[in-house]
């Protein structure tokens, strides 16, 4: 691979893992624990607000914990929802302006039982890991050429408007498994029928990373899927989240990634696809191991 490619990929990975980069807030954050389990990071701007609720959040020298009386899923969920609604009414943190009325389950690890549920836009206040499902859709032409379907996000999207995206993707809400989420998003975002998605979707792994921005800290894990589509298929967006779809060759996809035209985490999902299918090899890319480690960052 060329130096331009390697530098472009490093830019993407630095952005998507900005919380782990020099100069981030990481060294000044406090841990967030629930039921003796580490579930997040509290930045100082968030800590200043949580101190307004001393009967809910208990501050220690290096961590915040929930009050001992909040010892059930229901009590934690209800109490935190009240706090967040109050914070939203006070307009004290920017991220809550993006309130979505969508609930995420909070876990110390994906395999563990949920500790409580939380409004999606508030997860970054606590540095809580969010999960999602992404699919790379592709076709193989009769001459063996691989091409990938790439979506372009609507200019009215709340986040990353107008940037390139995977064929379909979505956050993992509290009532869906990763595959159920992917089937739902395929239908809504690309008009891939439930029957076709159920038959053709292939679970292929996951990526993980952590970035921070004005909204807070974003540890995220994405379950990845591939779907090989018929050459006659054309995606069509049903929920107004995608402005258009493009069927690109692999070189076109690579170029769009290093030109920073992709939503960063979607670029990483595509990068994983390129590695798995041999479009990036150890002989071509001297940073092979380093890139792989940066798209599979450990959790808390």
């Amino acid at each position: 691979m060329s130096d331009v490619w390697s530098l472009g990929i490093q830019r993407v990975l630095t952005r998507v893992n900005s919380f782990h980069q020099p100069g981030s807030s990481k060294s000044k954050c406090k841990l967030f624990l629930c039921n003796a389990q580490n579930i997040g990071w509290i930045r100082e701007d968030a800590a200043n607000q949580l101190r307004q609720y001393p009967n809910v959040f208990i501050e220690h020298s290096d961590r915040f914990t929930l009050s001992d009386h909040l010892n059930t899923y229901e009590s934690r969920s209800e109490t935190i929802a009240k706090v967040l609604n109050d914070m939203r009414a006070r307009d004290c943190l920017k991220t809550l302006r993006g309130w979505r009325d969508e609930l995420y389950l909070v876990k110390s690890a994906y395999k563990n039982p949920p500790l409580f549920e939380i409004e999606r836009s508030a997860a970054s206040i606590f540095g809580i890991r969010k999960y999602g499902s992404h699919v790379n859709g592709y076709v193989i032409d009769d001459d063996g050429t691989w091409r990938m379907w790439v979506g372009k996000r609507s200019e009215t999207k709340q986040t990353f408007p107008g940037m390139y995206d995977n064929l379909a993707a979505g956050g993992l809400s509290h009532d869906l498994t990763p595959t159920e989420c992917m089937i739902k998003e395929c239908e809504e975002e690309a008009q891939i029928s439930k029957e076709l998605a159920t038959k053709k979707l292939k679970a292929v792994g996951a990526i993980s990373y952590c970035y921070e921005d004005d909204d807070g800290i974003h540890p995220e894990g994405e379950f990845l899927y591939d779907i090989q589509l018929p050459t006659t298929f054309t995606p069509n967006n049903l929920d107004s989240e995608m402005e258009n779809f493009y069927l690109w060759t692999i070189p076109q996809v690579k170029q769009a990634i290093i030109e920073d035209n992709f939503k960063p985490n979607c670029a990483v999902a595509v990068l994983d696809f390129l590695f798995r299918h041999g479009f990036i090899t150890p002989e071509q890319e001297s940073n092979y191991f380093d890139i792989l480690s940066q798209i599979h960052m450990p959790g808390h």
Side-chain angles (χ1 to χ4, degrees):
M1 298 288 177
S2 69
D3 290 343
V4 172
W5 162 263
S6 293
L7 288 172
I9 292 305
Q10 191 53 57
R11 265 198 321 275
V12 172
L13 295 175
T14 297
R15 187 176 300 124
V16 87
N17 279 311
S18 60
F19 185 63
H20 298 298
Q21 300 299 320
S24 79
S25 69
K26 185 176 181 180
S27 63
K28 300 176 183 177
C29 288
K30 292 193 173 186
L31 298 175
F32 182 35
L33 274 68
C34 176
N35 201 27
Q37 299 176 56
N38 186 11
I39 57 171
W41 300 90
I42 306 292
R43 204 165 63 180
E44 185 58 26
D45 56 341
N48 283 334
Q49 299 305 322
L50 300 188
R51 292 180 183 118
Q52 310 300 313
Y53 308 93
N55 294 326
V56 178
F57 302 101
I58 311 301
E59 185 173 10
H60 307 268
S61 60
D62 63 344
R63 65 193 62 194
F64 276 87
T65 60
L66 288 174
S67 177
D68 289 342
H69 75 277
L70 301 172
N71 53 15
T72 65
Y73 176 96
E74 291 75 18
S75 64
R76 294 172 192 137
S77 300
E78 181 180 345
T79 301
I80 291 174
K82 288 179 180 177
V83 167
L84 292 174
N85 274 290
D86 183 64
M87 292 170 66
R88 183 188 183 195
R90 294 193 292 110
D91 193 27
C92 60
L93 289 173
K94 174 178 171 287
T95 188
L96 296 180
R97 297 175 189 170
W99 196 277
R100 300 195 183 201
D101 287 317
E102 184 178 336
L103 295 173
Y104 274 179
L105 295 178
V106 177
K107 307 176 181 182
S108 57
Y110 185 77
K111 66 178 181 178
N112 292 342
L115 297 163
F116 55 90
E117 60 189 32
I118 193 171
E119 153 65 29
R120 175 177 177 174
S121 66
S124 61
I125 296 172
F126 304 97
I128 288 168
R129 171 160 285 195
K130 294 179 290 186
Y131 294 92
S133 294
H134 287 236
V135 63
N136 286 298
Y138 67 100
V139 302
I140 303 177
D141 294 337
D142 291 341
D143 64 359
T145 300
W146 287 53
R147 293 187 291 164
M148 179 179 285
W149 280 108
V150 174
K152 188 174 190 292
R153 295 164 68 85
S154 167
E155 294 290 350
T156 61
K157 280 283 288 182
Q158 190 177 74
T159 55
F160 303 98
M163 300 195 80
Y164 294 122
D165 204 324
N166 301 120
L167 176 63
L172 196 58
S173 58
H174 72 295
D175 57 346
L176 295 175
T177 68
T179 301
E180 288 170 344
C181 173
M182 197 70 268
I183 291 171
K184 169 179 170 288
E185 296 296 340
C186 279
E187 189 165 26
E188 291 177 356
E189 295 192 353
Q191 208 171 351
I192 299 172
S193 69
K194 184 175 181 180
E195 180 183 14
L196 180 59
T198 302
K199 182 180 179 181
K200 290 287 191 176
L201 273 177
K202 182 180 179 182
V204 293
I207 54 174
S208 54
Y209 50 87
C210 184
Y211 67 94
E212 67 173 322
D213 58 17
D214 291 344
D215 286 343
I217 302 166
H218 305 263
E220 295 183 355
E222 310 293 353
F223 294 93
L224 298 186
Y225 294 79
D226 285 353
I227 185 166
Q228 183 179 349
L229 294 163
T231 55
T232 54
F233 176 84
T234 300
N236 180 45
N237 184 242
L238 295 180
D239 61 7
S240 302
E241 293 198 5
M242 290 291 185
E243 181 182 288
N244 210 339
F245 289 99
Y246 305 94
L247 186 57
W248 284 348
T249 63
I250 298 302
Q252 286 176 303
V253 172
K254 287 183 176 181
Q255 188 63 29
I257 290 175
I258 65 169
E259 289 177 353
D260 301 326
N261 290 327
F262 265 92
K263 181 173 179 270
N265 68 333
C266 297
V268 176
V270 173
L271 196 58
D272 177 87
F273 178 93
L274 298 176
F275 271 90
R276 286 186 291 102
H277 290 286
F279 294 110
I280 302 172
T281 67
E283 289 75 24
Q284 295 170 325
E285 177 52 67
S286 61
N287 294 321
Y288 195 87
F289 270 105
D290 187 49
I291 292 171
L292 285 173
S293 69
Q294 290 184 73
I295 66 177
H296 298 102
M297 295 294 285
H300 300 118

